[in-house]
């Protein structure tokens, strides 16, 4: 026996077969594996090592829990609910279930949840993670996919949307309505999506020679309600919010200030959450294929579970949805 007197483990089989431990477990437990070559390699390696799975081993973190850990920054945001729906539907087709945790916009909480879930789940999906990219790269937690977060050339998979193009479309829309000074209600400073949207906001405005003002808001309606007066004082004629929730808070504050959208201030959001079309006025926003992102996240994670070391990136297009909350500039 190649391992001497030591009893071989699932890790030994995975190393010899050059696959993940999750794949070894799926093969030896009779679960569906789409690649027959992987099945052949696992069975040959197990026979060579005289490996016999134990009842205890089946309950360990070896890819057999059928659970996928998911960390989201804010479960109160409807966009994450839609993503989870797409992810759960896709994972359910292969008998996996989700274990979802809310990081509450805290990097410390997100860090702890990643480490904890990794002990109990076959793989992880990090939705819009707030931790720095270099720290995410240092986690040794097995298969992992990020959503709405660029990962550069790191050995990590990512599924998301083209937020840059979506924000640029909003700015062009406002410019076409005659707006020459627009404001951005910025999202959480730790959000990659916020940084991408603000970069697009600044770039598009600069190319169109539009003056901009930025107010730090956040990701909730309370944040939009609190931060809007700063932009009103700056004299903007249009406002773009980090997301629809922030825009909803800003819309309520407009009314409290005796102003209307779009008669006094044009207002646009981002995400196109279900309630956006039922506001008064209906909200101009950027539609994201959020459920589809969830399905792609599962496909990328499944690829890692079955093919150790295989990673990929998916970026889906967005769509500007023009509704009644934006109109011809009232201020010049």
């Amino acid at each position: 026996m190649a391992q001497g007197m030591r009893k071989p483990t699932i890790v030994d089989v995975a190393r010899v077969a050059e696959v993940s431990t999750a794949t070894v477990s799926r093969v030896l437990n009779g679960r569906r594996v789409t690649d027959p070559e992987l099945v052949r390699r696992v069975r040959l390696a197990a026979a060579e090592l005289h490996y016999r799975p134990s009842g205890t081993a089946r309950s360990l973190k070896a890819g057999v829990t059928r659970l996928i850990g998911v960390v989201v920054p804010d479960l109160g945001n409807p966009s994450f609910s839609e993503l989870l729906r797409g992810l759960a539907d896709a994972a359910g087709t292969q008998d996996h279930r989700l274990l979802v945790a809310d990081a509450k916009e805290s990097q410390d909480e997100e860090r702890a949840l990643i480490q904890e879930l990794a002990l109990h789940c076959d793989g992880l999906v990090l939705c819009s993670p707030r931790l720095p990219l270099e720290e995410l790269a240092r986690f040794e937690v097995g298969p992992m996919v990020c959503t709405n977060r660029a990962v550069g050339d790191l050995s990590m998979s990512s599924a998301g949307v083209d937020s840059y193009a979506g924000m640029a479309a909003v700015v062009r829309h406002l410019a076409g309505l005659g707006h020459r000074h627009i404001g951005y209600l910025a999202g959480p400073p730790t959000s990659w999506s916020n940084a991408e949207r603000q970069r697009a906001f600044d770039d598009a405005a600069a190319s169109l020679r539009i003056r901009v003002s930025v107010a730090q808001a956040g990701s909730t309606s309370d944040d939009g309600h609190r931060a809007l007066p700063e932009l009103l004082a700056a004299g903007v004629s249009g406002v773009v919010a980090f997301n629809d929730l922030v825009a909803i808070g800003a819309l309520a504050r407009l009314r409290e200030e005796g102003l209307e959208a779009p008669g006094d201030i044009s207002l646009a959001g981002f995400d196109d959450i279900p309630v956006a079309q039922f506001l008064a006025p209906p909200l101009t926003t950027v539609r994201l294929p959020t459920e589809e992102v969830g399905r792609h996240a599962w496909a990328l994670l499944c690829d890692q579970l079955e093919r150790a070391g295989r990673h990929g990136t998916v970026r889906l297009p967005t769509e500007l949805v023009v509704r009644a909350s934006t109109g011809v500039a009232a201020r010049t």
Side-chain angles (χ1 to χ4, degrees), residues 46-87:
E48 175 187 339
L49 297 172
H50 302 286
Y51 172 75
R52 294 293 183 272
S54 68
T56 300
R58 285 190 172 97
S59 66
L60 297 177
K61 177 69 175 73
V64 295
T65 68
R66 322 299 296 174
L67 292 175
I68 300 301
V70 186
V71 181
V72 299
D74 179 11
L75 273 174
N77 188 327
S79 289
F80 292 120
S81 299
E82 294 178 25
L83 190 150
L84 290 173
R85 184 182 301 113
L87 178 60

Side-chain angles (χ1 to χ4, degrees), residues 166-186 197-216 227-228 230-242 262 264-269 325-332:
M167 180 59 77
V170 177
V171 175
R172 289 194 300 269
H173 167 64
L174 291 175
L177 293 171
H179 294 270
R180 309 311 300 168
H181 183 189
I182 60 177
Y184 178 56
L185 289 170
R197 292 172 192 182
Q198 187 167 344
R199 183 171 70 90
F201 180 86
D202 291 338
D203 289 351
S207 69
L208 295 166
R209 298 183 179 180
I210 294 175
R211 182 183 172 194
V212 300
S213 295
V214 177
Q216 182 59 51
L228 181 67
E230 182 178 341
L231 296 183
L232 297 180
V236 302
S237 64
V239 172
V240 185
F242 165 67
D264 299 297
I265 299 288
S266 284
L267 179 65
S325 68
T326 52
V328 175
R331 301 182 182 185
T332 58

